[in-house]
Amino acid sequence: MKRLFLLVLGFAALMAEGAEDPRRAQSAEIAARFQKVLGERLMSAMVADGPVAAIGVCRHEAPEVAARLSAETGTKVARTALRVRNPDNAPDAGECAVLKTFERDLKAGVKSSPEHFEVAADGSARYLKAILTQPACLSCHGAVLAPEVKAAIARHYPNDQATGFAVGDLRGAFVIEWPASGGEHP
Ligand code: HEC
């Protein structure tokens, strides 16, 4: 009896850590879809029309794709970063702490892109997946921007903090939030 109790307690602890929570894998899938769609749109716009026009993809399509994925999955899908271009993407205190952990892990040489999953006491959950800077990001997030790109970004984002990144740097994270009632899944 006592052993059963301990077993149940152990399982509850595991669940609290999110070790067995199906939402972790589902979150990873949602983040991967977001990344794939955005990457494809961005690359085709860059090739077809150049970086100034492609700014429109990031500006309009990123929030649209996030909204569509949110509606489809019953989650809240977003992007955040320690240094943001759009202040709407600024992290809350919890996200900020996770991003700093990601940055530390990357500096310490963690090879794969870090992720984090947590379940709150009310059953809601949050997943973050690191977004690393790639060569294709540098024309808009690198240390040196073409003057016309710089001007277009400054026009839309006067408080832009999202430049000066190098390949491999933590650019930000995908965030997938599950509501407290999110036990049932699509
Ligand atoms: C054509 C220019 C352009 C390119 C190329 C580009 N971005 Fe962005 N990025 C933007 C703009 C503009 C925003 C602001 C979007 C918004 O208003 O939500 C942004 C926002 C972001 C954000 C959300 C956080 C923030 O700063 O507001 C992340 C994360 C991000 N970009 C990552 C990347 C990554 C990773 C790449 C390369 C794969 C990339 N970007 C390539 C222009 C670009």
Side-chain angles (χ1 to χ4, degrees):
M1 193 60 201
K2 194 170 162 210
R3 272 178 59 191
L4 183 69
F5 176 72
L6 284 176
L7 205 72
V8 169
L9 208 69
F11 183 67
L14 261 170
M15 286 304 287
E17 279 173 22
E20 300 295 329
D21 196 312
R23 293 176 293 182
R24 176 196 279 267
Q26 289 169 333
S27 300
E29 225 170 83
I30 296 168
R33 274 172 65 195
F34 192 13
Q35 184 159 34
K36 182 165 183 286
V37 174
L38 260 187
E40 284 170 1
R41 297 273 172 82
L42 188 63
M43 285 322 287
S44 58
M46 290 281 278
V47 170
D49 307 308
V52 171
I55 289 171
V57 172
C58 298
R59 192 169 153 69
H60 302 295
E61 293 198 31
E64 268 170 35
V65 175
R68 183 162 55 74
L69 278 176
S70 302
E72 258 175 44
T73 59
T75 63
K76 186 165 160 275
V77 178
R79 294 188 303 171
T80 189
L82 288 169
R83 281 160 38 210
V84 291
R85 175 150 292 165
N86 185 337
D88 292 349
N89 297 330
D92 66 18
E95 289 163 350
C96 197
V98 174
L99 285 163
K100 284 185 175 152
T101 314
F102 285 174
E103 207 162 58
R104 212 174 45 227
D105 288 350
L106 286 167
K107 283 205 178 107
V110 170
K111 289 281 182 293
S112 60
S113 116
E115 56 178 354
H116 170 88
F117 181 73
E118 68 192 23
V119 180
D122 67 358
S124 64
R126 175 154 67 181
Y127 170 90
L128 279 88
K129 164 88 176 174
I131 303 173
L132 305 189
T133 307
Q134 300 162 31
C137 319
L138 297 180
S139 53
C140 296
H141 294 295
V144 184
L145 307 193
E148 66 276 15
V149 173
K150 201 171 170 179
I153 290 173
R155 208 163 42 242
H156 296 298
Y157 305 96
N159 300 315
D160 180 32
Q161 302 174 304
T163 57
F165 292 92
V167 172
D169 282 353
L170 180 70
R171 173 62 268 269
F174 294 109
V175 185
I176 318 292
E177 284 180 286
W178 296 84
S181 57
E184 72 283 359
H185 307 295

Coordinates of all heavy atoms in Angstrom, one line a residue, residues 98-130:
V98 N 14.3 32.1 -19.0 CA 14.6 30.9 -19.9 C 15.5 31.3 -21.0 O 16.5 30.6 -21.3 CB 13.3 30.3 -20.5 CG1 13.6 29.2 -21.4 CG2 12.4 29.8 -19.3
L99 N 15.3 32.5 -21.6 CA 16.2 32.9 -22.7 C 17.6 33.0 -22.2 O 18.6 32.7 -22.9 CB 15.7 34.2 -23.3 CG 14.4 34.1 -24.2 CD1 13.8 35.5 -24.3 CD2 14.8 33.6 -25.5
K100 N 17.8 33.5 -21.0 CA 19.1 33.7 -20.4 C 19.8 32.3 -20.2 O 21.0 32.2 -20.4 CB 19.1 34.5 -19.2 CG 18.9 36.0 -19.4 CD 18.9 36.8 -18.2 CE 18.8 38.3 -18.6 NZ 18.3 39.1 -17.5
T101 N 19.0 31.3 -19.8 CA 19.5 30.0 -19.7 C 19.9 29.4 -21.0 O 21.0 28.8 -21.1 CB 18.4 29.0 -19.1 OG1 17.8 29.7 -18.0 CG2 19.0 27.7 -18.6
F102 N 19.1 29.7 -22.0 CA 19.5 29.2 -23.4 C 20.8 29.8 -23.8 O 21.7 29.1 -24.3 CB 18.4 29.7 -24.4 CG 17.1 28.9 -24.4 CD1 16.1 29.3 -25.2 CD2 17.0 27.8 -23.6 CE1 14.9 28.6 -25.2 CE2 15.8 27.0 -23.6 CZ 14.7 27.5 -24.4
E103 N 21.0 31.1 -23.6 CA 22.2 31.8 -24.0 C 23.4 31.2 -23.3 O 24.4 31.0 -23.9 CB 22.0 33.3 -23.7 CG 22.8 34.2 -24.6 CD 22.4 35.6 -24.6 OE1 22.3 36.2 -23.5 OE2 22.0 36.1 -25.6
R104 N 23.2 31.0 -22.0 CA 24.3 30.4 -21.2 C 24.7 29.0 -21.7 O 25.9 28.7 -21.9 CB 23.9 30.3 -19.7 CG 25.0 30.5 -18.8 CD 24.6 30.6 -17.3 NE 23.6 29.5 -17.0 CZ 22.5 29.7 -16.3 NH1 22.2 30.9 -15.9 NH2 21.7 28.8 -16.1
D105 N 23.6 28.2 -22.0 CA 23.9 26.8 -22.5 C 24.6 26.9 -23.9 O 25.6 26.1 -24.1 CB 22.6 26.1 -22.7 CG 22.0 25.7 -21.4 OD1 22.7 25.8 -20.3 OD2 20.8 25.2 -21.4
L106 N 24.2 27.8 -24.7 CA 24.8 27.9 -26.0 C 26.3 28.4 -25.9 O 27.2 27.8 -26.6 CB 24.1 28.9 -26.9 CG 22.7 28.4 -27.5 CD1 21.9 29.5 -28.1 CD2 23.0 27.3 -28.5
K107 N 26.5 29.3 -25.0 CA 27.9 29.8 -24.8 C 28.8 28.6 -24.2 O 30.0 28.6 -24.5 CB 27.9 31.0 -23.8 CG 27.5 32.2 -24.5 CD 28.1 33.5 -23.9 CE 27.6 34.7 -24.7 NZ 26.6 35.5 -24.0
A108 N 28.1 27.7 -23.4 CA 28.8 26.6 -22.8 C 29.1 25.5 -23.8 O 29.6 24.5 -23.5 CB 28.1 26.1 -21.6
G109 N 28.5 25.7 -25.1 CA 28.8 24.7 -26.1 C 27.8 23.7 -26.3 O 28.1 22.7 -27.0
V110 N 26.6 23.9 -25.8 CA 25.5 22.9 -26.1 C 25.2 22.9 -27.6 O 25.1 24.0 -28.2 CB 24.2 23.3 -25.4 CG1 23.0 22.5 -25.8 CG2 24.4 23.2 -23.9
K111 N 25.3 21.7 -28.2 CA 25.2 21.7 -29.7 C 23.8 21.8 -30.2 O 23.6 22.6 -31.2 CB 25.8 20.3 -30.2 CG 27.3 20.3 -30.0 CD 28.1 21.0 -31.0 CE 29.6 20.9 -30.9 NZ 30.1 21.6 -29.7
S112 N 22.9 21.1 -29.6 CA 21.5 21.2 -30.2 C 20.8 22.5 -29.8 O 21.3 23.1 -28.8 CB 20.7 20.0 -29.7 OG 20.6 20.0 -28.3
S113 N 19.7 22.8 -30.4 CA 19.1 24.1 -30.0 C 18.2 23.9 -28.8 O 17.4 23.0 -28.8 CB 18.4 24.7 -31.2 OG 17.0 24.7 -31.0
P114 N 18.5 24.6 -27.7 CA 17.9 24.3 -26.4 C 16.3 24.5 -26.4 O 15.8 25.3 -27.2 CB 18.5 25.3 -25.5 CG 19.6 25.9 -26.2 CD 19.4 25.7 -27.7
E115 N 15.7 23.8 -25.6 CA 14.2 23.9 -25.4 C 13.9 23.8 -23.9 O 14.7 23.4 -23.1 CB 13.5 22.9 -26.2 CG 13.8 21.5 -25.9 CD 13.0 20.5 -26.7 OE1 12.1 20.8 -27.4 OE2 13.3 19.3 -26.6
H116 N 12.7 24.3 -23.6 CA 12.3 24.3 -22.2 C 10.8 24.1 -22.1 O 10.0 24.6 -22.9 CB 12.6 25.7 -21.6 CG 12.0 26.0 -20.3 ND1 12.7 25.6 -19.1 CD2 10.9 26.5 -19.9 CE1 12.0 26.0 -18.1 NE2 10.8 26.5 -18.5
F117 N 10.3 23.2 -21.2 CA 8.9 23.0 -21.0 C 8.6 23.1 -19.5 O 9.2 22.5 -18.7 CB 8.5 21.6 -21.6 CG 7.1 21.3 -21.5 CD1 6.2 21.9 -22.3 CD2 6.6 20.4 -20.6 CE1 4.8 21.6 -22.2 CE2 5.2 20.1 -20.5 CZ 4.3 20.7 -21.3
E118 N 7.5 23.8 -19.2 CA 7.1 23.9 -17.8 C 5.6 23.8 -17.7 O 4.9 24.4 -18.5 CB 7.7 25.2 -17.1 CG 7.0 26.4 -17.7 CD 7.8 27.7 -17.3 OE1 8.9 27.7 -17.0 OE2 7.1 28.7 -17.3
V119 N 5.1 23.2 -16.6 CA 3.7 23.1 -16.3 C 3.5 23.9 -15.0 O 4.2 23.7 -14.0 CB 3.3 21.7 -16.1 CG1 1.8 21.6 -15.8 CG2 3.6 20.8 -17.4
A120 N 2.5 24.8 -15.1 CA 2.2 25.6 -13.9 C 1.3 24.9 -13.0 O 0.7 23.9 -13.4 CB 1.6 27.0 -14.3
A121 N 1.1 25.4 -11.7 CA 0.2 24.7 -10.8 C -1.2 24.6 -11.3 O -1.9 23.6 -10.9 CB 0.3 25.5 -9.4
D122 N -1.6 25.5 -12.1 CA -3.0 25.4 -12.6 C -3.2 24.5 -13.8 O -4.3 24.5 -14.4 CB -3.5 26.9 -12.9 CG -2.8 27.5 -14.1 OD1 -1.9 26.9 -14.6 OD2 -3.1 28.6 -14.5
G123 N -2.1 23.9 -14.2 CA -2.2 23.0 -15.4 C -1.9 23.6 -16.7 O -1.7 22.9 -17.7
S124 N -1.7 24.9 -16.7 CA -1.3 25.5 -18.0 C 0.2 25.2 -18.2 O 0.9 24.8 -17.3 CB -1.5 27.1 -17.9 OG -0.7 27.6 -16.9
A125 N 0.6 25.3 -19.4 CA 2.0 24.9 -19.7 C 2.6 25.9 -20.7 O 1.9 26.6 -21.5 CB 2.0 23.5 -20.3
R126 N 3.9 26.0 -20.7 CA 4.6 26.9 -21.6 C 5.9 26.1 -22.1 O 6.6 25.5 -21.4 CB 5.0 28.1 -20.9 CG 5.9 29.1 -21.7 CD 5.8 30.5 -21.3 NE 6.3 30.7 -20.0 CZ 6.3 31.9 -19.4 NH1 5.8 32.9 -20.0 NH2 6.8 32.1 -18.2
Y127 N 6.1 26.3 -23.4 CA 7.2 25.7 -24.1 C 8.0 26.8 -24.8 O 7.4 27.6 -25.5 CB 6.7 24.6 -25.1 CG 7.7 24.1 -26.0 CD1 8.5 22.9 -25.7 CD2 8.0 24.6 -27.3 CE1 9.4 22.4 -26.6 CE2 8.9 24.1 -28.1 CZ 9.6 23.0 -27.8 OH 10.6 22.5 -28.7
L128 N 9.3 26.7 -24.7 CA 10.2 27.6 -25.5 C 11.2 26.8 -26.2 O 11.8 25.9 -25.7 CB 10.9 28.6 -24.5 CG 10.1 29.9 -24.1 CD1 9.4 29.6 -22.8 CD2 11.0 31.1 -23.9
K129 N 11.4 27.3 -27.4 CA 12.5 26.6 -28.3 C 13.4 27.7 -28.8 O 12.9 28.6 -29.5 CB 11.7 25.9 -29.4 CG 12.6 25.4 -30.5 CD 13.2 24.1 -30.3 CE 14.0 23.6 -31.5 NZ 14.7 22.4 -31.2
A130 N 14.7 27.5 -28.6 CA 15.6 28.5 -29.1 C 15.6 28.7 -30.6 O 15.5 27.7 -31.3 CB 17.0 28.1 -28.6

